[in-house]
Amino acid sequence: MSVIKFTKAGWIYIILTILMGFSAINTNNNLVFITVSLMLAVMGVSGFYGKSNIEKLSFNISFENEIYARKKTNITVFVTNRKKKLISSLLNIEVLGEKGVIDFISPKETKNFKISKSFENRGVVSIDKIVVSSTYPFNFFIRRKVYHINEEFIVFPEMIKTNISFSGKNKIDNADLSGIDEAKNQEEISNIRGYNNDPLNKIFWKHFAKDGNLYVKEFSSSDESYSYLSFDELLRKYDTEMAIKVATTIIYEMNAWRKPFIFELDGEKFNILRATEKLEALKRLALYGKN
């Protein structure tokens, strides 16, 4: 059901029509009667097309694969005009408190617009309604209609600011990476030496946590090692929310640099270089501790 609100122009038009009507009755002038009839006809046309303009629309929403808390993301809204013959025009569409505009849609046509939105907290976000309003065709009325939908998506945890480089400095603000432990498929360490611009996944983080100096582990085999992080280790160092943020940041950075990395959460291990396992790990972190 649509709601009608008069614009300033609409109120002026109605008052003029009423005054013209009284004038026609008092003067009994046919020309004034015709003018009033035309004014009423225009108002009727405005009402009919204004109502049909926001009717029979359908919506689909597309989200980015990875949405992180407190980080801007683009949401694409697809609008379809399901009417057979009538156009829809000058549509103002509100989604999640953000507004977009569709100027013109032909019958059976689909158009889209994008909104930019950030979310404060991790977890599931629901979209239960889309609000459509329009002043079409003559700006006399603002018609408004609420479309009820059911869309859900997951916002991944917030990432903390990082300054990670694989050519020298390795630092995470407000946290550190000492929770990462190097593993080598059960192979033995053959040597521990000082850091010399080696890849991040070869650094011996436990020694770094002890004295602040960077060391590199060398293994008996030349195969590349992988890094391992247990979420339980982070929980022993940080409160739950900070541990989730640190884990999310490490997962994101290691995947971005294509470094072999295994993350363990609740007894399940995720290979972060595999896209599906990375997304599943982030999803588990986003929902961690929530009902």
Side-chain angles (χ1 to χ4, degrees):
M1 182 178 178
S2 60
V3 178
I4 303 174
K5 181 181 179 181
F6 289 102
T7 64
K8 183 178 180 180
W11 280 114
I12 292 173
Y13 190 86
I14 289 172
I15 292 171
L16 286 175
T17 303
I18 293 172
L19 292 176
M20 289 292 290
F22 282 121
S23 177
I25 294 171
N26 291 332
T27 62
N28 201 25
N29 188 312
N30 289 335
L31 181 59
V32 179
F33 274 116
I34 293 172
T35 302
V36 173
S37 299
L38 288 174
M39 294 177 73
L40 291 173
V42 168
M43 189 178 296
V45 169
S46 177
F48 172 77
Y49 283 103
K51 184 177 185 300
S52 65
N53 187 56
I54 61 174
E55 297 288 344
K56 294 186 178 180
L57 301 174
S58 60
F59 301 89
N60 286 303
I61 302 178
S62 176
F63 309 98
E64 294 182 354
N65 286 334
E66 299 179 20
I67 301 176
Y68 294 90
R70 299 196 176 189
K71 183 179 180 181
K72 287 282 187 180
T73 186
N74 289 324
I75 299 174
T76 305
V77 181
F78 294 89
V79 186
T80 301
N81 179 10
R82 296 186 291 107
K83 294 185 285 289
K84 295 181 179 179
K85 296 182 179 180
L86 297 177
I87 66 168
S88 284
S89 184
L90 302 178
L91 300 175
N92 296 290
I93 302 171
E94 182 178 337
V95 183
L96 292 171
E98 303 293 333
K99 293 182 179 180
V101 177
I102 297 291
D103 294 328
F104 183 92
I105 315 181
S106 299
K108 301 297 182 182
E109 185 183 13
T110 297
K111 289 189 175 181
N112 69 79
F113 66 92
K114 291 184 178 181
I115 60 173
S116 183
K117 180 77 175 177
S118 63
F119 302 91
E120 287 295 313
N121 302 309
R122 63 184 174 90
V124 177
V125 175
S126 299
I127 303 177
D128 58 2
K129 68 179 180 180
I130 292 179
V131 181
V132 181
S133 61
S134 178
T135 58
Y136 181 83
F138 300 129
N139 197 33
F140 292 159
F141 315 105
I142 299 175
R143 284 192 176 269
R144 180 177 178 272
K145 181 173 181 177
V146 176
Y147 284 85
H148 294 283
I149 63 172
N150 184 21
E151 292 279 356
E152 286 187 348
F153 58 95
I154 293 178
V155 175
F156 296 150
E158 176 187 359
M159 290 187 288
I160 57 180
K161 293 182 180 180
T162 65
N163 182 20
I164 294 181
S165 167
F166 291 95
S167 59
K169 297 179 181 179
N170 301 284
K171 179 182 178 182
I172 290 187
D173 296 341
N174 302 321
D176 61 55
L177 299 180
S178 58
I180 296 181
D181 183 28
E182 295 297 318
K184 188 63 181 180
N185 297 327
Q186 306 303 322
E187 293 179 303
E188 295 183 356
I189 299 174
S190 61
N191 185 38
I192 296 178
R193 59 173 175 80
Y195 175 78
N196 185 25
N197 292 337
D198 296 279
L200 181 65
N201 66 313
K202 294 182 180 294
I203 295 175
F204 200 170
W205 292 106
K206 287 187 177 180
H207 270 246
F208 173 72
K210 291 179 180 178
D211 58 17
N213 296 316
L214 293 176
Y215 298 93
V216 174
K217 294 190 289 186
E218 294 180 339
F219 296 88
S220 58
S221 168
S222 61
D223 294 336
E224 184 179 21
S225 65
Y226 66 85
S227 297
Y228 169 83
L229 174 65
S230 170
F231 187 62
D232 289 339
E233 291 186 42
L234 294 179
L235 287 176
R236 285 193 286 269
K237 296 185 60 177
Y238 310 107
D239 62 66
T240 301
E241 287 302 317
M242 178 56 74
I244 290 172
K245 292 176 183 179
V246 171
T248 300
T249 305
I250 294 174
I251 289 171
Y252 180 89
E253 296 290 350
M254 296 296 267
N255 180 267
W257 287 93
R258 306 305 296 167
K259 295 297 179 180
F261 180 60
I262 302 297
F263 176 67
E264 183 176 353
L265 175 62
D266 292 336
E268 187 170 353
K269 295 180 180 179
F270 303 91
N271 184 344
I272 300 306
L273 287 185
R274 295 175 183 169
T276 54
E277 294 191 32
K278 171 199 171 187
L279 292 176
E280 181 62 26
L282 291 173
K283 177 181 176 182
R284 297 282 188 89
L285 288 171
L287 302 178
Y288 189 88
K290 294 182 178 290
N291 294 329

